[in-house]
């Protein structure tokens, strides 16, 4: 160890003596990622890994990235995070809501390592949070679904009843009811982020029960594919543009683009300007894109584009009041909008949503 | 109701394939914990072959062959080198998970046309509930036909008796002149073929796509089914169907408005299957584990 350090110092001295920038002699910044699913899920974890690859492309030799995929949310996550922290990673991205407690704990134990946790709300001096406002996209999906459905029944495959998913369901339903007040949303919990078989089962169940448009908040293309194979049902892609799986069924997809954020944060670490923060970018910031609007009439497409433009410009706030939950309690008064803290802790459904919700 | 029944049969099929294969291997005295790994490699190979040839049948065949190859690797360790079976099986599962991810890396995000039903659509429409009987692709019928054939083989066939002898008392079998290791090898390879078919069913018919880790623990469920079914073919098949039924029930019940926490539904298939098989099957088949299960056998002469 001592030998290695003195060698490095020697190298640094040499670099400075020869007039080259000192950065060349620095060790690359080691960056760790943990994913909840496999990078081959073609959804959530896949998109995060695209962000990681963008880092390697952008920074080349100046960074060295490591990823651990399919990390269960729970004690295993803490073990993996500790392992990354002790093996010299100075910046660690934990990319699922369920990693929150583990990340907070490990961040406390390693004050000189910087942590970034996606979709959570616990922060510390060395623990930042970030997320995309995917619900802005989900509002647009709701508008499209409202114009597309014949039966007035929408099936919504959710992973777990957590704020991130509830926010999506509510945004979707508000969008739906802005154009089709009678339509209802049936939420079915798959109890998994990634199990193509179960996700498809859940989709087929809601189709059998009369849904003719499906939205999903799980990570594989299986529900979309089930819609395609049903012949008539329409659906939306999740996290990636999944049009190949459903050339006649995909209406659009919400595409997560983490690359700009990741590049910005790594640059901040390299510059020494990294600070804990809460980043929450949406359509305007470019963290969330919409895949091309397909398989719909021109006027629905025009309406979707108009809605997207309004949200991006800030003209339309998707959570502006009045909003009541399904028990009739007023959650947002007329003329006001739901603030970020309330959005992050959302634990209620708006009117028109059917499905179980833990108390 | 028809849709529910069909969903149940489809969901039971990969479990049935894998459980039946493992059951045969275990009845010969070999515990192979590598089912999940064999299923994953079967799934990815089936997908690649079906995609490049356009033939679901060839894909299924490739899945079975890949399962056999994986099982052969296990047999080399566990039978050839007399390695600990549990350790070799676990290694096979871990290896299979990694290998399938590697083989399938460039096939992520590529769709495959859905496997077609075996019987013409007119059959399904001709009778009430016809779709629940005639609406499936060929692999579903293959799974049930193999269940019947394996039951017959183990209960009635002379060679099935020899296989059971290898699993119950390898030394006596050897003394009687049975080629114990060869019997076990064939049983393990058969188990691999069935696990490969189970994986192939997932990537060809259930959700025609490749996704890393797409078996999502079904290999482990199949292993548990074999134990809880007391190594009986009929009970294992019943367990697979029950597990699939409760899994599907959670999605339908949520739509019917049955109020229960979603976590309860997630646990329900496991609870129901364990209770049913432990209470019903366990009592009648207690102590029926193959006596030499997991024990290393080396022919002494």
């Amino acid at each position: 160890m001592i030998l290695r350090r003195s060698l490095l110092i020697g190298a640094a001295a040499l670099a400075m003596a020869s007039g080259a920038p000192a950065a060349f002699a620095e060790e690359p910044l080691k960056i760790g990622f943990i994913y909840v699913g496999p990078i081959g899920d073609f959804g959530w974890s896949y998109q995060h890994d695209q962000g990681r690859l963008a880092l390697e492309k952008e920074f080349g030799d100046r960074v060295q990235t490591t990823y651990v995929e399919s990390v269960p949310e729970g004690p295993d996550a803490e073990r993996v995070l500790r392992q990354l922290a002790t093996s010299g990673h100075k910046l660690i991205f934990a990319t699922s809501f369920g990693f929150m407690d583990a990340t907070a704990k490990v961040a406390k134990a390693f004050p000189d390592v910087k942590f970034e946790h996606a979709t959570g709300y616990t922060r510390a001096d060395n623990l930042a949070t970030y997320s995309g406002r995917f619900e802005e996209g989900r509002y647009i999906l709701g508008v499209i679904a409202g114009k597309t459905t014949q039966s007035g029944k929408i099936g919504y495959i959710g992973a777990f009843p957590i704020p991130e998913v509830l926010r999506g369901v509510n945004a979707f339903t508000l969008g739906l009811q802005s154009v089709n007040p009678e339509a209802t949303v049936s939420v079915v919990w798959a109890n998994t982020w990634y199990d193509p078989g179960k996700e498809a089962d859940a989709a087929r169940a809601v189709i059998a029960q009369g849904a003719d448009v499906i939205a999903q908040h799980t990570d594989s293309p299986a529900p979309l594919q089930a819609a395609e194979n049903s012949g008539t049902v329409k659906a939306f892609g999740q996290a990636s543009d999944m049009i190949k799986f459903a050339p006649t069924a995909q209406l659009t997809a919400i595409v997560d683009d983490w690359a700009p954020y990741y590049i910005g944060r790594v640059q901040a670490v390299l510059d020494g300007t990294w600070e804990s923060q809460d980043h929450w970018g949406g359509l305007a910031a470019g963290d969330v894109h919409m895949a091309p609007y397909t398989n719909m009439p021109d006027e629905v497409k025009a309406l979707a584009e108009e809605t997207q433009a309004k949200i991006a410009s800030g003209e339309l706030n998707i959570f502006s009041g009045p909003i009541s939950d399904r028990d009739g309690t007023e959650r947002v008064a007329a003329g006001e909008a739901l603030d970020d803290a309330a959005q992050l802790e959302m634990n209620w459904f708006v009117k028109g949503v059917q499905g179980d919700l833990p108390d | 109701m028809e849709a529910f029944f069909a969903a149940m049969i489809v969901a039971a099929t990969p479990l049935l394939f894998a459980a039946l294969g493992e059951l045969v291997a275990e009845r010969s005295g070999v515990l192979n914990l590598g089912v999940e790994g064999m299923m994953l490699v079967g799934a990815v190979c089936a997908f690649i072959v079906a995609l490049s040839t356009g033939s679901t049948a060839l894909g299924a065949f490739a899945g079975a062959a890949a399962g056999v190859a994986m099982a052969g690797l296990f047999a080399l360790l566990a039978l050839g080198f007399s390695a600990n079976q549990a350790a070799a099986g676990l290694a096979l599962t871990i290896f299979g998970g990694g290998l399938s991810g590697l083989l399938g890396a460039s096939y992520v995000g590529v769709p495959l046309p859905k496997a077609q039903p075996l019987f013409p659509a007119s059959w399904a429409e001709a009778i009430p509930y016809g779709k629940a009987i005639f609406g499936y692709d060929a692999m579903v019928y293959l799974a049930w036909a193999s269940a019947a054939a394996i039951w017959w083989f183990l209960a009635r066939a002379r060679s099935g008796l020899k296989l059971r002898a290898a699993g119950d008392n390898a030394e006596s079998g050897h003394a009687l002149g049975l080629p114990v290791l060869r019997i076990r090898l064939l049983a393990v390879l058969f188990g691999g073929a069935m696990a490969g078919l189970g994986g192939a069913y997932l990537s060809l018919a259930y959700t025609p796509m490749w996704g890393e880790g797409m078996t999502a623990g079904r290999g482990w469920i199949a292993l548990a089914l074999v134990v809880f079914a007391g190594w009986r073919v009929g009970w294992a098949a019943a367990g697979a169907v029950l597990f699939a039924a409760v899994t599907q029930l959670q999605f339908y019940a949520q739509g019917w408005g049955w109020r229960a926490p979603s976590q309860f539904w997630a646990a329900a298939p496991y609870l129901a299957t364990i209770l049913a098989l432990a209470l019903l099957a366990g009592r009648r088949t207690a102590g029926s584990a193959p006596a030499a299960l997991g024990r290393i056998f080396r022919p002494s002469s």
Side-chain angles (χ1 to χ4, degrees), chain A residues 38-40 42 69 161 187-191 194-198 200-202 204-205 208-209 221-222 225 229 244-245 355-356, chain B residues 3 11 108-112 114 206-209 211-214 216 218 247-248 250-252 254-256 258-260 262-263 266:
Chain A
I39 57 170
F42 200 58
E69 57 184 335
V187 177
V188 171
W189 301 112
N191 283 304
Y194 178 75
D195 178 340
K198 265 195 185 173
D201 288 339
R204 288 192 275 254
Q209 292 177 342
Q225 192 181 40
N229 286 337
K244 277 189 286 180
F245 283 89
D356 283 323
Chain B
V108 166
V110 184
L112 187 70
K114 191 175 162 47
Y206 203 134
T207 51
M209 67 172 79
E212 243 182 286
M214 68 184 299
R218 286 177 179 78
T247 308
Q248 297 308 311
Q250 65 173 314
F251 302 126
Y252 282 84
Q254 289 183 54
W256 293 330
W258 294 10
R259 311 287 297 179
S262 60
Q263 292 85 348

Side-chain angles (χ1 to χ4, degrees), chain B residues 63-101:
Chain B
V68 169
M70 287 288 284
L73 189 64
F74 170 82
L76 180 71
L77 296 171
L79 301 178
F81 299 135
S82 301
N84 178 293
Q85 293 178 5
L90 285 173
L92 193 71
T93 282
I94 297 167
F95 173 65
L99 179 68
S100 60

